[in-house]
Amino acid sequence: MTRTSESGSYVEAGEFKRDTNYISTRITADGRDGYPVEAGRYRLIAARACPWANRSLIVRRLLGLEDALSLGLCGPTHDRLSWTFDLDPGGVDPVLGIPRLRDAYLARFPDYPRGITVPAVVDVPTGQVVTNDYAQITLDLSTEWTALHRPGAPQLYPRALRADIDEVNLAVFRDVNNGVYRCGFAGTQDAYDAAYDRLFARLDWLAERLAKQRYLVGDTITEADVRLFTTLVRFDPVYHGHFKCNRVKLTEMPVLWAYARDLFQTPGFGDTVDFGQIKTHYYVVHTDINPTRVVPKGPDPANWLEPHGREALGGRPFGDGTPPPPPRAGERVPALVAP
């Protein structure tokens, strides 16, 4: 077994394996795990570079939880120990007072044996990590934090569609979200070939589904769209070349490219994406794949602002809700310039 530079993951018999044993503590409305939903008590620690953390940034924006759940952002790179707060003055998170996310993990689990991952939610009064279960974090933000949602917040995980959303999410995680990593960190040709074939078979399946409907499940944006988007937005800058997912680029898959642009141009999605940080993370941190740490200059992301035409399929992005307001000054990403 060989460890990779991807936190909490390893290569076994040539195949990339993701450690999915996360801290399962939940923050709930009834506080049954000892952590009740409470405005101002918790801090979401994320990194714009990370697709798993990007989900939480999008959901927090869409639901309008900025006042209730503060945000700490790690830089795009990390060392063998932890994500770090090198974007903040002095390299210290201004609320938690720590230089490394690892400090919050060790405050609760002094012998924490697994990777230090983002996103993570930290209990501010104690400085202890509560959870790093990225899949459950966004679902709980949608279903347990409802009392703190903004007026007009969309239903990202509506009860009537949960079975369908869960089914799509499972397939997308296995073959796409994690599939690109199974390509990129494959240790044998056979493992790579199998991951590559599954990835593109699933992308073809998604394109066929999305050719007939604007969103993955139902006629509004749901958790399923959030989860697929964070992989698609990284596809051409990173996964196509760096992870050898190179049958075609996203820009050469007409349906998925239009779908991804539609979401990118929807408030709450593209305004959480920092292409510079994304490329820096993958090309600098993954020295087992890119030992020179040279970061490519392209591709130019301006084409993300081109018209997508997906309105013709109908659908209502926010259902009966409304778009979120613009990002706050301290949470804005570099603006793109239209071509």
Side-chain angles (χ1 to χ4, degrees), residues 58-101:
I58 292 170
V59 170
R60 176 177 172 270
R61 280 269 296 123
L62 293 177
L63 300 179
L65 289 170
E66 290 93 337
D67 284 335
L69 179 63
S70 69
L71 176 62
L73 288 171
C74 298
T77 63
H78 58 75
D79 57 26
R80 64 182 182 83
L81 291 178
S82 177
W83 290 87
T84 55
F85 295 101
D86 48 298
L87 300 178
D88 292 306
V92 173
D93 180 85
V95 172
L96 300 175
I98 56 176
R100 295 174 175 275
L101 179 56

Side-chain angles (χ1 to χ4, degrees), residues 15 119 149 171 286 309 321 330:
E15 185 175 351
H149 288 181
H286 296 163

Side-chain angles (χ1 to χ4, degrees), residues 302-339:
N303 55 359
W304 280 92
L305 300 178
E306 293 176 350
H308 52 75
R310 297 280 293 178
E311 303 93 337
L313 292 171
R316 301 174 301 148
F318 302 101
D320 294 330
T322 57
R328 299 179 175 192
E331 297 185 8
R332 293 174 188 161
V333 299
L336 301 185
V337 179

Side-chain angles (χ1 to χ4, degrees), residues 261-276:
R261 295 202 313 282
D262 186 4
L263 291 178
F264 185 91
Q265 294 169 32
T266 299
F269 282 82
D271 54 32
T272 70
V273 174
D274 187 316
F275 286 106

Side-chain angles (χ1 to χ4, degrees), residues 30 42 50 53 102 113 118 125 140 153-154 183 193 213 233 258 275-276 293 296 310 331:
D30 63 8
Y42 305 101
C50 172
R102 179 174 183 261
V118 289
D140 283 344
C183 290
D193 289 347
Q213 60 193 62
V233 81
F275 286 106
R293 297 188 175 186
R310 297 280 293 178
E331 297 185 8

Side-chain angles (χ1 to χ4, degrees), residues 179-300:
V180 293
Y181 286 86
R182 294 175 65 244
C183 290
F185 287 105
T188 67
Q189 189 69 50
D190 287 346
Y192 166 75
D193 289 347
Y196 178 100
D197 291 344
R198 285 178 61 174
L199 167 65
F200 283 100
R202 183 60 64 189
L203 290 175
D204 290 341
W205 178 84
L206 288 164
E208 183 178 353
R209 182 184 185 99
L210 289 165
K212 302 185 287 285
Q213 60 193 62
R214 189 171 178 185
Y215 303 111
L216 279 173
V217 181
D219 67 349
T220 64
I221 290 167
T222 67
E223 175 82 14
D225 300 294
V226 174
R227 296 190 183 195
L228 178 58
F229 172 78
T230 59
T231 295
L232 294 183
V233 81
R234 288 162 174 76
F235 201 89
D236 286 4
V238 175
Y239 302 143
H240 178 270
H242 185 59
F243 277 178
K244 308 181 187 72
C245 302
N246 61 354
R247 188 187 78 178
V248 288
K249 297 176 182 177
L250 177 65
T251 54
E252 296 166 343
M253 295 183 271
V255 171
L256 292 180
W257 174 224
Y259 164 79
R261 295 202 313 282
D262 186 4
L263 291 178
F264 185 91
Q265 294 169 32
T266 299
F269 282 82
D271 54 32
T272 70
V273 174
D274 187 316
F275 286 106
Q277 289 198 26
I278 288 170
K279 290 194 298 183
T280 296
H281 170 71
Y282 284 90
Y283 287 100
V284 172
V285 170
H286 296 163
T287 55
D288 36 356
I289 298 176
N290 185 43
T292 65
R293 297 188 175 186
V294 172
V295 179
K297 293 183 69 173
D300 185 347

